[in-house]
Amino acid sequence: MNIREIVEFPVQLVSVETKAFHAEKKFETVGREFNITAETKGEVVDEMTGRSVIIIKVENEDFYIEEEKTGIFQFNEKITDEKKAVQFMEVQGVRILWSYIREDLYTVSSKMLSRPIMIPTIDVMRTLEKAE
């Protein structure tokens, strides 16, 4: 495939930023399981820009890690349907920002724990359908 054949998506992620990160280790046991919770928010910033926020918490009795990450999306055309734009950023926020958070959690937990945390890759659409 030639690079000229690539069709860009009508919305582009233009920046990613970690807004908050908290990690705490109490003690460590071998063979641990952990709970993951995540939430997303989307908002229109202006007529051409949207913001997606994902907050994830990974914890058990041994440790607690929480991260908030924000992505800024630039639309190719003016936003005319705010509700659709917000929904887009909530869905795409999970889809795109999950991989950034996944890498952050692995990196930080590898310095905290003997076995780093590798949160799973997810099927975003099926996960969102199930959540509804």
Side-chain angles (χ1 to χ4, degrees):
M1 173 174 24
N2 188 317
I3 190 72
R4 289 184 216 122
E5 296 171 351
I6 293 175
V7 178
E8 283 191 9
F9 200 70
V11 181
Q12 292 295 312
L13 178 68
V14 293
S15 73
V16 176
E17 184 175 75
T18 300
K19 291 292 193 178
F21 200 102
H22 176 81
E24 180 180 329
K25 177 181 172 182
K26 299 168 191 159
F27 53 89
E28 185 172 355
T29 56
V30 178
R32 70 190 184 283
E33 291 186 9
F34 52 84
N35 297 313
I36 303 172
T37 57
E39 74 177 84
T40 62
K41 301 174 197 168
E43 65 179 330
V44 172
V45 175
D46 62 36
E47 61 186 17
M48 300 290 285
T49 311
R51 177 182 297 117
S52 180
V53 178
I54 184 169
I55 300 167
I56 189 162
K57 298 173 186 173
V58 181
E59 64 185 318
N60 68 11
E61 60 279 351
D62 296 346
F63 61 86
Y64 176 83
I65 301 174
E66 179 177 346
E67 182 175 10
E68 178 179 339
K69 195 165 282 286
T70 301
I72 301 297
F73 290 87
Q74 191 71 45
F75 288 72
N76 290 352
E77 297 178 5
K78 286 185 179 181
I79 297 169
T80 56
D81 186 337
E82 190 168 328
K83 186 177 178 182
K84 267 188 172 177
V86 167
Q87 183 180 26
F88 170 87
M89 285 171 292
E90 288 174 351
V91 171
Q92 293 303 325
V94 173
R95 184 183 301 239
I96 294 171
L97 298 177
W98 186 265
S99 60
Y100 287 91
I101 286 202
R102 189 170 185 258
E103 191 236 339
D104 290 349
L105 292 174
Y106 183 84
T107 300
V108 170
S109 67
S110 70
K111 296 180 184 332
M112 288 176 60
L113 306 168
S114 59
R115 286 187 6 206
I117 298 168
M118 177 67 76
I119 62 173
T121 55
I122 60 172
D123 182 332
V124 174
M125 297 313 292
R126 286 187 55 198
T127 299
L128 293 173
E129 287 170 3
K130 187 177 176 183
E132 289 178 0

